[in-house]
Amino acid sequence: MGTVIMHNVVSVDGYIADQNDDVGSLHEWYFSGDTPISPHDDEQGYDHSATGTPFKVSRTSADYVRPMWASIGTIVMGRRLFDLVNGWEGQPPAGEHVVVVSHRPKPEGWHPGASYHFVDNAPAAIAIAQDLAGDRTIAVNAGNVGSQILAAGLVDEVAMDVAPVIFGSGKRFFDGIHEQQLLEDPHVVIQGDRVLHLRFRVRR
């Protein structure tokens, strides 16, 4: 089965957005470099589909981000993020499949051909995601749903793109974690421009 990675861009003080779901300057590094990247391309090119703006990162970040995006088979997300981005209009930014943790079903008539699956609990979401991904990576969005999956012992790694931003309050990367969780020492530490890429294996 593929590795389950809880991932997000995060502020230095541990937030993935403010209280209004605004990411502020967290994603500045995606657009301030000199190396074009696209989630659906292995070397060069832009992805204009989601934002209308090309992703351009530092060469160092590109060498890290490209293979990570390419490894993803399934994304697991919460309903709030799904609603905010309208499910990326049925075209996930990486991978071919999306599993949405929600007590509400898929909106009626919404992109019927898209491989989006709605389930009402986090463990079931991971089981479906693993079936869909095969041996590819399952990328779990951080926040409430990601924290539920981490607390259930179903996350293999935590990946953080730490941006030099302080929010002070907002939506936490680890939202709702009430017990100590142990991670191994970081096995990836890469300094890009305006971002620090970190990856930790979860200690079993």
Side-chain angles (χ1 to χ4, degrees), residues 2-188:
T3 301
V4 178
I5 299 179
M6 180 179 175
H7 171 256
N8 234 92
V9 183
V10 60
S11 69
V12 170
D13 56 344
Y15 294 97
I16 58 177
D18 67 15
Q19 293 289 3
N20 298 315
D21 296 299
D22 188 343
V23 298
S25 300
L26 281 182
H27 294 178
E28 175 186 304
W29 64 277
Y30 272 130
F31 308 103
S32 60
D34 57 7
T35 304
I37 61 171
S38 166
H40 301 290
D41 139 341
D42 57 6
E43 269 308 316
Q44 306 182 39
Y46 299 148
D47 178 14
H48 294 270
S49 59
T51 63
T53 305
F55 290 121
K56 296 183 71 175
V57 300
S58 68
R59 168 58 65 178
T60 300
S61 286
D63 290 343
Y64 169 71
V65 171
R66 278 190 184 128
M68 186 173 184
W69 280 349
S71 74
I72 294 171
T74 305
I75 292 173
V76 178
M77 65 192 304
R79 184 59 181 256
R80 185 172 184 83
L81 179 58
F82 174 86
D83 288 342
L84 283 169
V85 300
N86 195 30
W88 303 295
E89 299 298 340
Q91 297 181 328
E96 293 80 41
H97 314 283
V98 175
V99 179
V100 182
V101 180
S102 174
H103 293 294
R104 291 178 286 139
K106 183 190 297 188
E108 188 174 351
W110 184 88
H111 297 283
S115 182
Y116 279 59
H117 308 264
F118 286 63
V119 297
D120 64 3
N121 67 84
I126 293 300
I128 292 171
Q130 288 174 327
D131 284 343
L132 293 167
D135 60 358
R136 298 181 70 192
T137 298
I138 295 98
V140 176
N141 287 110
N144 183 266
V145 166
S147 296
Q148 290 179 46
I149 294 168
L150 176 64
L154 300 173
V155 170
D156 300 309
E157 294 186 22
V158 171
M160 311 174 84
D161 298 320
V162 183
V165 180
I166 296 172
F167 272 54
S169 65
K171 306 295 176 66
R172 292 188 175 278
F173 188 103
F174 299 106
D175 180 28
I177 294 291
H178 301 297
E179 296 182 359
Q180 180 174 279
Q181 302 282 331
L182 294 180
L183 308 177
E184 300 293 350
D185 291 338
H187 62 281
V188 172

